[in-house]
Amino acid sequence: MNWKKIAFGAFNIVLGGYLILAMTAFNKPDETQVCRDLRITIEEGIVEGFLSPSDIKFMLNEDGISPIGRSMKKINLRVMEEVLESKELIESAECYKGQNGLVCIDVRQRIPVVRVMNDRGDDYCVDSHGKPMPRTDHSYNLIIATGAISKPYAEKWLAPLSNTILSDSFWKNQIVQYHVLSDGSVEMVPRVGGHIIYLGQPTDVSRKLSRLQKFYRYGLMQAGWNKYSRVSVEFDNQIVCKRK
């Protein structure tokens, strides 16, 4: 038997165990301290969200569960998470204790992707999962959707459409409004160009937008941005334009 190899292996095992134990001991929060501060991280989305760290602090204070000034041992992280996740603008929250009296909060907020102002007078936002959410001052920067829009339609069609638009920097800056017709088809209003884009039913959106972007590059750049009043990408392998 090679005793040197056995001894060397045993030494590595002991050393590894010691390092794990030491790291665990050093990283364990000191429960005798008092919470002195919060470190709040809010996950960014494809558009600017509604929440700021001061909003999170306000929520905790409003519900009487702010950890600042409390013993680290008595802070109930699970209660903090449940309270934060009950808020309309928060999708999920993770709370944990750090070193030197620090409590950390990681928040994933609900990201608004479109503002609905339908023909029934409703005015609300829709998040990236298609769920309605309250409107705030920040919602004025969102794409506006008008017309025959029900909440099931917004969830099934408008949210995926908006996610596709907002994930592309060109279309994010180009599209300012949707208008939904009674048959569920969609017209889009661009920021640049005196035309309406007719998308048809909001299916195969990425392919339609890719075709339209090529038309912008090789067609409108030559013919002029204000030559047509309507550009339709409803059907595959063609673009139908109506002159002004």
Side-chain angles (χ1 to χ4, degrees):
M1 297 179 65
N2 192 330
W3 293 105
K4 288 185 178 180
K5 288 185 178 181
I6 294 174
F8 184 73
F11 174 76
N12 284 335
I13 292 173
V14 172
L15 179 61
Y18 170 77
L19 290 175
I20 292 173
L21 180 63
M23 291 177 64
T24 303
F26 283 125
N27 288 327
K28 185 177 180 181
D30 186 353
E31 296 283 276
T32 64
Q33 290 188 334
V34 170
C35 176
R36 61 175 181 80
D37 199 7
L38 294 175
R39 188 187 71 189
I40 299 172
T41 304
I42 300 176
E43 183 179 300
E44 296 182 358
I46 53 179
V47 296
E48 182 182 355
F50 293 155
L51 294 174
S52 66
S54 60
D55 294 324
I56 303 300
K57 291 180 180 179
F58 177 80
M59 293 176 186
L60 296 174
N61 286 323
E62 188 178 39
D63 285 87
I65 59 169
S66 175
I68 295 179
R70 297 187 181 186
S71 168
M72 294 289 282
K73 187 176 182 179
K74 295 182 179 180
I75 294 172
N76 191 324
L77 299 176
R78 185 57 198 155
V79 170
M80 290 174 56
E81 291 173 349
E82 289 175 351
V83 168
L84 290 174
E85 289 175 352
S86 70
K87 306 300 182 181
E88 287 186 312
L89 298 179
I90 295 179
E91 182 176 329
S92 65
E94 182 180 357
C95 304
Y96 52 97
K97 297 174 184 178
Q99 298 293 327
N100 301 319
L102 186 67
V103 170
C104 306
I105 303 175
D106 295 339
V107 171
R108 176 179 295 174
Q109 60 181 322
R110 297 177 63 193
I111 300 299
V113 293
V114 62
R115 180 182 175 188
V116 174
M117 301 175 66
N118 63 22
D119 52 13
R120 291 179 293 185
D122 297 329
D123 187 354
Y124 59 91
C125 293
V126 174
D127 70 12
S128 56
H129 301 296
K131 304 301 180 184
M133 59 186 297
R135 177 179 57 83
T136 73
D137 293 339
H138 298 283
S139 60
Y140 289 99
N141 297 321
L142 296 175
I143 297 173
I144 294 175
T146 59
I149 305 170
S150 64
K151 289 186 177 179
Y153 182 93
E155 179 175 2
K156 184 176 181 180
W157 299 111
L158 280 190
L161 169 60
S162 299
N163 288 334
T164 301
I165 293 288
L166 296 174
S167 63
D168 184 288
S169 59
F170 176 80
W171 295 114
K172 180 179 180 179
N173 291 309
Q174 173 69 341
I175 302 301
V176 297
Q177 182 180 345
Y178 313 132
H179 183 73
V180 179
L181 304 179
S182 58
D183 62 353
S185 60
V186 178
E187 296 175 330
M188 301 193 299
V189 180
R191 190 184 304 276
V192 178
H195 57 273
I196 297 296
I197 301 165
Y198 183 65
L199 197 64
Q201 297 298 319
T203 58
D204 296 323
V205 173
S206 295
R207 290 172 56 189
K208 292 177 180 179
L209 292 179
S210 177
R211 189 161 13 108
L212 180 59
Q213 191 166 7
K214 291 177 182 177
F215 174 70
Y216 274 2
R217 184 177 302 166
Y218 302 112
L220 291 189
M221 291 291 287
Q222 303 297 324
W225 285 87
N226 295 311
K227 183 173 183 178
Y228 303 107
S229 62
R230 186 178 179 85
V231 176
S232 173
V233 291
E234 178 182 14
F235 302 110
D236 287 341
N237 302 318
Q238 62 176 297
I239 293 178
V240 180
C241 301
K242 181 180 179 181
R243 289 179 180 271
K244 283 190 175 181

